[in-house]
Structure formats: structure tokens, C-alpha cells
Amino acid sequence: MIPKHVEFILSAEAKHMKIEKSNITMTEFILLGFSDVPRLKWILFGILFFIYLTILMCNSIIILVTRTDPALQTPMYFFLSNFSFVEICYVTVTMPKMLVDLCSQKGNISLLNCALQMWFFLLFASSECLLLTVMAYDRYVAICKPLLYALMMNHRVCVQLVAVCWVTVIPIVTGQTYQIFSLPFCGSNKINHFFCDIPPILRLACGDTFVNNLAIFLASAVFTMVPFLLITVSYGKIIFSILKLSSTGGRSKAFSTCSSHLIVVVLFYGTCAITYIQPNTNTSDRIGKVLSLFYTVLIPLWNPIIYTLRNKEISAALRKLPQKLLQLQNFL
């Protein structure tokens, strides 16, 4: 039987060690990713690698045809080419690291690299939200104010709108990332995710995260709720204008030009909203990981497919692309 004074000393030392441990800030994290299914790692690697190459190829082709085909030199396709470029950057932030971790089954990432990954992910995701809003505004002007379209959406205005989408997000994303990684991280350094996303990172912080959660809510309102409301208002006016058209062919053409963008908006905002309003539980970690696969992998895969299959102009440009490449090769 341990004497009481010895038990007291041991208890005090244990508490002291616990306090010291809690004051140690992490310098490295471990992304758990899909380590809970090691037998499926090569199958997952093959599927994700194929998806990544498909996203890169499809979006690169969209950029190529929208920049080279004379019939696609319009504001709508200018915004679409920029959207495809953002999609390429967006998936490249997470997928190469995810593929490497699947092979190595380690998932180690330094604090700095984790912060950089979060910064770039938030930058491209926020820019994508704003670009979707700009694309909705372009469709609104084209359908509701066709006589003023050439004046309101000239090339200079289009460039300025795209620049605003990039410049606006940089200070907010930088401030948010700095605020999150200024918190002390102690205890477990295992992130139950496949990239450095905000919710799983905040769960590892041992400081007060109230201000961070408030900042996340405000940033989400600025970059998701406000753009979504603007898109909803734009499409409300578009649908109202389309219904007033007397020609059935005119209605069909107007709906076809808007439907692709509307599908992308619903898929992207739907999965993002579900992910960030989940309760803070272990179950939601697993659900959040699956939902994150949707808006980081599957939706970027569907986007170029949706735009190409449902767009007659791009389909026609794609059919002419091999002939143009052959002519270019013969010329060189």
C-alpha cells in the first residue's frame, strides 16, 4: 500500500507533466485520410488518380477551346475558362497530397505546409463561389437585358469582375488562416481528414475557439450565403423573364444556357453547406470526410462533364478541335 504522502507527490507530478504537455505546441500533424481501410488503398489510389487526371484533362480542354474557338469568344465562355482554371488549382491543392498519403500510409504534414494547404484551399474555394455568382450575373444580363449585354459585359468589365473574385478573398482568407494557426495545438496531432480543413483542425486546438468559430461563420456568410442569395435572386429574375417569352424555342434555348450553371451551383453549395453545419461529433468526422470527397473530388469531376454535355457550342468546338490540332501540327 502506497503511503499518502507518496501518493500525493505522484499525483502532483502527474498533474505537472499534464500541464507541461498541454503547453507544447504541435509542429507536425498526421492526416489519417483513409488509413482505416488499408486493404483498399491501391483501389482508392487508382480511382482517385484516374479522377485527378480526368479533371486536369477536361478542364484544360475547356480552357483550350474557349480561348481558341472564335465562336466562344463571349463573356460566358471567358468566365467558364477562368472557372476551369480555378477548378484545376482547387483539386491540385488536395489531391496530390492525398495520393501520396495513400501510397505511404503516413500522412505527415508540417504545421507550415498544413497552413499553406488550408490557405490555398480557402482561396480557390472562395474564388469559385464568387465566380459562380459572376457567371449567374452574366446570364441575368444576357437574358433579362439583352440589348445592353454588349455594353454591360464588355471585355474590360469581365476582366475586372474576375480580378475582384481573386483580390477580394485574399485578405479574408489570410486573416482566417493566421487566426486558426495562431491557436495552441496540444494533445493529439492526428487530423481525421485527408486534407487540412477548418473543422478537424479546430478540434485539435486547446485554446478558446469561440472567436475562430465566429470568424468562420462570418466568412461563410460572405462567401457562401451572400453569393448563394445573389445567385438565387438572379435565377428568379431569369426564370420570370424566360416564362414571359412567347417562343417555345426561345424558352428552351434560354433554359439550356442556364441549366448547366444551376446544376453546378446546387451541387457545390449543397455539399459545402451540409459539411459546415454538422455537429461537432466523431460520427460527423466520418460523414464530413465523405461529403468533402464530393466537393473536393467528385463535383470538380462532374463540372466539366456537365458543361460539355449540356452545351451545344462547346460540343461543336470539341468536335472541331482534333482537326485544328492536326492543322497546327502540319503548319509546324
Side-chain angles (χ1 to χ4, degrees):
M1 188 170 179
I2 302 174
K4 287 187 178 180
H5 68 281
V6 175
E7 186 177 352
F8 176 78
I9 293 170
L10 291 173
S11 177
E13 287 182 355
K15 288 181 180 179
H16 180 68
M17 289 175 65
K18 187 177 180 180
I19 292 170
E20 284 187 344
K21 184 180 178 182
S22 68
N23 289 330
I24 298 174
T25 303
M26 294 295 171
T27 58
E28 185 181 67
F29 294 115
I30 299 174
L31 292 164
L32 296 180
F34 305 100
S35 58
D36 53 338
V37 284
R39 294 181 180 178
L40 300 176
K41 73 172 186 176
W42 292 115
I43 297 174
L44 285 171
F45 177 85
I47 293 170
L48 292 172
F49 184 68
F50 174 76
I51 289 174
Y52 181 54
L53 290 182
T54 304
I55 292 170
L56 294 183
M57 183 183 67
C58 291
N59 283 290
S60 298
I61 290 172
I62 288 176
I63 293 171
L64 179 63
V65 297
T66 53
R67 294 296 175 90
T68 57
D69 195 296
L72 302 181
Q73 303 307 304
T74 63
M76 181 174 75
Y77 296 110
F78 173 76
F79 293 131
L80 180 58
S81 66
N82 279 275
F83 183 78
S84 294
F85 173 73
V86 174
E87 288 277 84
I88 291 172
C89 298
Y90 178 70
V91 297
T92 302
V93 171
T94 57
M95 290 198 72
K97 171 65 177 169
M98 191 195 317
L99 292 170
V100 171
D101 291 345
L102 271 171
C103 292
S104 65
Q105 289 288 295
K106 291 181 179 178
N108 299 66
I109 185 168
S110 68
L111 188 74
L112 176 61
N113 288 337
C114 190
L116 287 172
Q117 187 184 54
M118 180 183 288
W119 187 86
F120 279 111
F121 177 79
L122 294 176
L123 174 70
F124 296 127
S126 302
S127 299
E128 188 166 320
C129 289
L130 297 183
L131 263 176
L132 287 171
T133 309
V134 169
M135 292 167 77
Y137 174 71
D138 171 69
R139 293 298 83 209
Y140 160 74
V141 177
I143 293 172
C144 300
K145 299 183 179 181
L147 298 178
L148 297 174
Y149 183 69
L151 179 64
M152 294 179 65
M153 300 302 295
N154 60 63
H155 184 68
R156 182 180 177 184
V157 171
C158 293
V159 172
Q160 288 173 343
L161 288 171
V162 171
V164 166
C165 292
W166 285 100
V167 173
T168 304
V169 301
I170 291 175
I172 297 177
V173 165
T174 302
Q176 188 141 35
T177 306
Y178 175 78
Q179 190 180 38
I180 290 170
F181 283 89
S182 295
L183 292 168
F185 295 97
C186 51
S188 175
N189 67 337
K190 295 180 180 178
I191 302 172
N192 191 13
H193 215 290
F194 54 85
F195 74 101
C196 293
D197 201 6
I198 293 175
I201 291 289
L202 281 181
R203 291 187 187 108
L204 301 183
C206 51
D208 185 9
T209 60
F210 173 78
V211 175
N212 300 88
N213 287 320
L214 181 62
I216 292 166
F217 174 78
L218 294 174
S220 299
V222 171
F223 291 117
T224 57
M225 293 171 64
V226 172
F228 185 73
L229 287 174
L230 292 173
I231 292 170
T232 304
V233 171
S234 297
Y235 274 102
K237 293 185 177 182
I238 288 170
I239 292 170
F240 183 74
S241 297
I242 290 174
L243 293 176
K244 290 196 298 184
L245 295 174
S246 56
S247 169
T248 306
R251 289 182 187 178
S252 176
K253 184 178 180 181
F255 272 120
S256 67
T257 59
C258 298
S259 57
S260 300
H261 179 254
L262 194 57
I263 291 169
V264 170
V265 168
V266 171
L267 289 172
F268 182 76
Y269 279 98
T271 51
C272 287
I274 294 170
T275 300
Y276 287 98
I277 62 173
Q278 291 182 93
N280 188 11
T281 62
N282 291 330
T283 304
S284 69
D285 279 344
R286 292 190 292 272
I287 297 172
K289 201 185 297 185
V290 173
L291 288 171
S292 295
L293 276 175
F294 271 88
Y295 68 80
T296 58
V297 177
L298 295 180
I299 292 177
L301 173 66
W302 293 337
N303 286 349
I305 296 171
I306 290 169
Y307 276 115
T308 52
L309 291 179
R310 298 184 62 85
N311 192 296
K312 293 179 181 178
E313 288 84 0
I314 290 184
S315 297
L318 287 173
R319 286 193 293 269
K320 292 185 290 184
L321 184 61
Q323 185 180 358
K324 286 186 175 182
L325 292 176
L326 185 61
Q327 290 175 352
L328 180 62
Q329 185 179 1
N330 292 334
F331 177 76
L332 294 175

